[in-house]
Amino acid sequence: MIVVMQPEASEAQIQSVIDHLVNLGFDIHRSTGVERTVLGCVGATANIDVRDVEVLEGVAEAHRISSPYKLAGRSFRPEGTIIKAGPLTIGGDEIPIIAGPCSIESREQLFAVAEQVAAAGARGLRGGAFKPRSSPYSFQGMGEEGLKLLREACDHYEMAAVSEVMSETQIPLMLQYVDILQVGARNMQNFNLLRELGKIRKPILLKRGIAATIEELLLSAEYIMAGGNYEVILCERGIRTFETYTRNTLDLSAIPVVHKLSHLPIIADPSHGTGRRDKVPPMARAAVAAGGDGVIMEVHCNPEKALSDGAQSLYPQQFTKLMEELRLIATAVNKRVAPARAFAAQQR
Amino acid sequence: MIVVMQPEASEAQIQSVIDHLVNLGFDIHRSTGVERTVLGCVGATANIDVRDVEVLEGVAEAHRISSPYKLAGRSFRPEGTIIKAGPLTIGGDEIPIIAGPCSIESREQLFAVAEQVAAAGARGLRGGAFKPRSSPYSFQGMGEEGLKLLREACDHYEMAAVSEVMSETQIPLMLQYVDILQVGARNMQNFNLLRELGKIRKPILLKRGIAATIEELLLSAEYIMAGGNYEVILCERGIRTFETYTRNTLDLSAIPVVHKLSHLPIIADPSHGTGRRDKVPPMARAAVAAGGDGVIMEVHCNPEKALSDGAQSLYPQQFTKLMEELRLIATAVNKRVAPARAFAAQQR
Amino acid sequence: MIVVMQPEASEAQIQSVIDHLVNLGFDIHRSTGVERTVLGCVGATANIDVRDVEVLEGVAEAHRISSPYKLAGRSFRPEGTIIKAGPLTIGGDEIPIIAGPCSIESREQLFAVAEQVAAAGARGLRGGAFKPRSSPYSFQGMGEEGLKLLREACDHYEMAAVSEVMSETQIPLMLQYVDILQVGARNMQNFNLLRELGKIRKPILLKRGIAATIEELLLSAEYIMAGGNYEVILCERGIRTFETYTRNTLDLSAIPVVHKLSHLPIIADPSHGTGRRDKVPPMARAAVAAGGDGVIMEVHCNPEKALSDGAQSLYPQQFTKLMEELRLIATAVNKRVAPARAFAAQQR
Amino acid sequence: MIVVMQPEASEAQIQSVIDHLVNLGFDIHRSTGVERTVLGCVGATANIDVRDVEVLEGVAEAHRISSPYKLAGRSFRPEGTIIKAGPLTIGGDEIPIIAGPCSIESREQLFAVAEQVAAAGARGLRGGAFKPRSSPYSFQGMGEEGLKLLREACDHYEMAAVSEVMSETQIPLMLQYVDILQVGARNMQNFNLLRELGKIRKPILLKRGIAATIEELLLSAEYIMAGGNYEVILCERGIRTFETYTRNTLDLSAIPVVHKLSHLPIIADPSHGTGRRDKVPPMARAAVAAGGDGVIMEVHCNPEKALSDGAQSLYPQQFTKLMEELRLIATAVNKRVAPARAFAAQQR
């Protein structure tokens, strides 16, 4: 930590601050400049709230200089992290695409879309089983029944199963059926949930909160990793800004920023990031071009009848065309997207 | 809902949209203008996602015109809602002040600050018992032991007990000890928690999320009220903006806005809203001047040693002085703040 | 400036950064910690772009530690700045209220409102003469004719004349008629304009841009002061956030923040800050309660017919009532608002 | 415009609102629902401030339904606009890349970088001649001398000359030397400047303000077009959000949004959008993948010595490599980027 004193700070104030910092366990290096005094504090600062130092008499500013995350930091694993979940590998040369409906609504609905996205080359199948909604009268999800269907569809079409865990009490249930446990944007700082997810050994897909900085996203990853679960996939899904034309503002610059700061893979969710079907293909292409390690998207065979998020769900044919574009773009960044698969084409 | 067609929409597109809306149960009023056609849709729109209509062919825009909240809306109870919780009344002529430490740390700590704030005129005592922190190594709260101390202090000093409930599983425990259950900003859209809080019959203090609009805050209140619990106190505690000098930007204009839109009382939390002790008194005064129905603040007898949020906790003497200022300001808005109490003055 | 090296930075990289900084004229203090090396750089950093250092090989972060403004900083004049403009004094014990129409529309319109606000105790009269509007067909302002009317009304009712200067070419004209030259939010970083305003010797009312941080506001004040004009009044008038119910979010915490960082007075503009008439009185009261050095508001005798900004203009009787409330609130912060004046009461 | 009355609005209030609207020249269609009354207002609403209607007694909300821009709207020219400027065409199948230094510093500097970017396939050369800076002591630009150099370099290397116009007084000078006049983000709502640019017949590159919505960007384009100059190129260059790791948040979703709303071409500026050199290539690739009609970037042969914006300027070899990637990506969206040119390769 660096503590910058006010130009008018008295010697007594400076000594008092130094004493305070020594009590906290720091070694202090004092630099006296023409204009002001600066204190360099060496020691463990991860748990220090710099505001506690800034409110001391005579202090102008305090800056933390060691990054507050260690395990999530790039220097912990400079070569990058590769995570495997069923038939899906992320962080390597292949960019996995994860697709599927917002909610699992029925066997017919799920298998229909699963076949289409599998045929188009998707490596993961997404689908929500628990849907606590803003209206208490809306569809609340199929629960465990939905998870069973997801598992079955993934086994049949050889995809990884991805579904959102809403609270720590659901973890044991989730572990039976899914390959990747998704943490939604609203739960990014639900520390009880993060702590429990640190104890399991399955990959976590951690979505950025709509008001969370990239540093806070990495701190939440650190929270999971501190428990011993190092398989965290980050996900940019849009932040809230003054622009209201789109549901959120998809911050694709988070991709190169995370690649610099962390070894963890980062994917993008253009469905939630834009909220409108016609904006999803352009932003999915942009995510791959920006170096994203994957893309997750909502696809529905009949979006007009979807029980949730129909407006942002792609039609299967849109998804298939988009996959072809993504394959071309991936080559420009020395990566690849899995090819279309023949089995489904035959069945159709 | 009002649906505005694109200028170039064909008659077939217009008919198709009308058919779709009729299927959803709307009565349609069609207005054909020189430039474009507008469809007025009468019927229950609360559960309609306007985006589902906006993605139809030929549609330019769709607007919901009935407000999505009913129970929380001003017209449900035009005279305003008054809520009683122990010795505290909110929404009437008296503006209750709620004060206390961020976390309950010990009997000594809690009773020391309780006596001071009670003497100064506070009607409620706040204190956190569960503190899931960003670092897994930080103090995590005293749990039920803390709640017992809070109850005891409130009984002794005649104040209402206010504490945060972190998940639905804690509700039964909370009900034994506290008078007002606080929902933190991160849980404002935790719908499982809100649903359960709708079933109880104690007042809820609902904090605005840092990325939540005022409408979303009212929707969360509606969620609780839909369960039958009409005693919801709203709380402005700062939103996240590009300004980083303060921890958040306290949006005091939410006070007159809520007073226009809703019958529910709204208070302000300048401690979390600014994050710095020296900014708390000015913003507490401003909250009362803006017409706020109450103020909640952090006070600690020894903020330098506080286990959490010390930087934003007032010293007791600051709080006492502030209370005198608030009494003066309250008169300007035809309200009052409770007087200082003699008992504690004697004890000191 | 403090330069923090990456943990893995090589000795060669560190030496290269030191050489670079020495070339820029800094004295370097090197601290070698267990985890990383920190370089303290002493010297004139005001013109350094810290990003230029952050992109050097091996550098993790760079922080500027001397504040980039000197003349505007609190330590330049710890006792605070008091500015006089005609019958108005700002920064002292009296809180001046400035009121008047958005645009000067006619002699009748201006004198009618001037009499009312003067009678209610306003010390300054505002009115725009140049109104470049978003529509080229809208009213563009009365120009010099309007300024003459403003001067005449101010002389007659003993108020200071406040009007906006849109470009450096208008300065000579403005100097003939107004007491305080206002810089609008859109021009806060129009450096050509600021430079010319630094050369004159009349007070400047500098409005914060809707996307400007408090530091950037102070930097713009510094720009004017660097030219020799030290009489700068800052004005908070709302920032753009995700909340759209209000036109902008009035950031009243800017008042205590500016009082800590700077010696310059700061006022609030709740008319532009909220955009709605009914939100103006609560936020004006809040501004005084927060310690603001003044308030500027739009008042119009017939807002429904106003040529601009009618929706946010107070009726005179609202303004008169508000002034009484502000007088009460001012006492709570040991200040005062000028009393109502009899002359106009007689005339009416 | 659609006016929604409050549920409790009286018949007298409704009539009064109708009378007011009829006076403004609207035809009114009244719909009386079970819950509330809605008024459809047909007529010219472009110049109406909906807030003026919203503050009327009994009104709950008012929505403008015809878009406030006409000339910039998609329906004005559904096939899209193609603009030619010297050897550069924008809006068609080729995606022009514009590159060059932030400021023109000298003949050597400009020609060195011009040759490199021309060889790599750039169609336009950018360079600032006027640089009003936040510090009055910083480099202020070469002025007309710089523009002459820019013209000369563009003639020699067959590129279009792009430079920023800071005020209406500079337009005649600019017209002598440049092919595309750039309007900077701070001037996006400088209506005096926009009005004068509407009178000329050269393409305008209009940058989005950091706090401007996409609708406001289109309104500024409309302002220019209303004067008769239809050749407006829009530019996304980052908006200000709570995320501070990047200088701004580049909102690439503006590209598909503008393509839906308007016929005007839109390009991206990843240099200003991210503020850091290493973030520029990923975001430039993303801009092309998202369907952008062009990219503008800062390139400097010696960024460490650049007089401005060195931290965000690419090295020429980075730019050359990036151009190859952009060529691959362009094919995925059925566009192309101009090939590398041999002449410069020979000269080097």
Side-chain angles (χ1 to χ4, degrees), chain A residues 51 54 134 223 240 275-276, chain B residues 51 54 134 211 223 275-276:
Chain A
R51 296 182 301 143
E54 288 191 340
S134 40
Y223 210 93
R240 183 159 270 188
R276 307 283 165 128
Chain B
R51 296 182 300 144
E54 287 191 340
S134 41
Y223 210 94
R276 307 285 164 126

Side-chain angles (χ1 to χ4, degrees), chain D residues 7 10 15 26 28 31 37 44 55 72 84 95 106 110 116 136 170 221-222 225 250 265-266 278 285 307 319 339 342:
Chain D
S10 67
Q15 274 306 331
F26 288 105
I28 308 299
S31 299
T37 293
V55 294
K84 292 179 76 72
I95 300 171
S106 70
L110 185 65
Q116 300 264 348
Q170 294 171 348
E222 181 86 4
M225 297 172 84
L250 191 68
I266 177 166
D278 58 339
R285 294 192 308 253
L307 297 181
F319 179 73

Side-chain angles (χ1 to χ4, degrees), chain C residues 20 47 51-52 54-55 132-138 140 186 189 191-192 195 210-213 216 223 226 240 247 275-277 304 309-312, chain D residues 20 47 51-52 54-55 132-138 140 186 189 191-192 195 210-213 216 223 226 240 247 275-277 304 309-312:
Chain C
H20 184 86
N47 293 332
R51 295 182 301 144
D52 286 335
E54 288 192 339
V55 295
R133 303 285 291 290
S134 39
S135 165
Y137 310 110
S138 298
Q140 305 285 319
R186 286 183 190 145
Q189 294 188 317
F191 295 115
N192 286 332
R195 182 167 40 224
I210 62 167
T213 62
E216 288 168 340
Y223 210 93
R240 183 160 271 189
R247 192 181 191 181
R276 307 285 164 127
R277 184 183 304 141
E304 296 79 11
D309 274 353
Q312 68 193 32
Chain D
H20 184 86
N47 293 332
R51 296 182 302 143
D52 286 336
E54 288 191 339
V55 294
R133 303 285 290 290
S134 39
S135 165
Y137 311 109
S138 297
Q140 305 285 320
R186 285 183 190 147
Q189 293 188 316
F191 295 115
N192 287 332
R195 182 167 40 225
I210 61 168
T213 62
E216 288 168 340
Y223 210 93
R240 183 160 269 190
R247 192 182 192 180
R276 307 284 165 129
R277 185 182 305 141
E304 295 79 11
D309 275 351
Q312 68 193 31

Side-chain angles (χ1 to χ4, degrees), chain C residues 234-255:
Chain C
L234 306 174
C235 181
E236 164 62 35
R237 47 81 72 214
I239 58 175
R240 183 160 271 189
T241 71
F242 62 82
E243 176 60 68
T244 55
Y245 192 89
T246 44
R247 192 181 191 181
N248 295 290
T249 299
L250 191 67
D251 177 15
L252 289 180
S253 55
I255 292 172

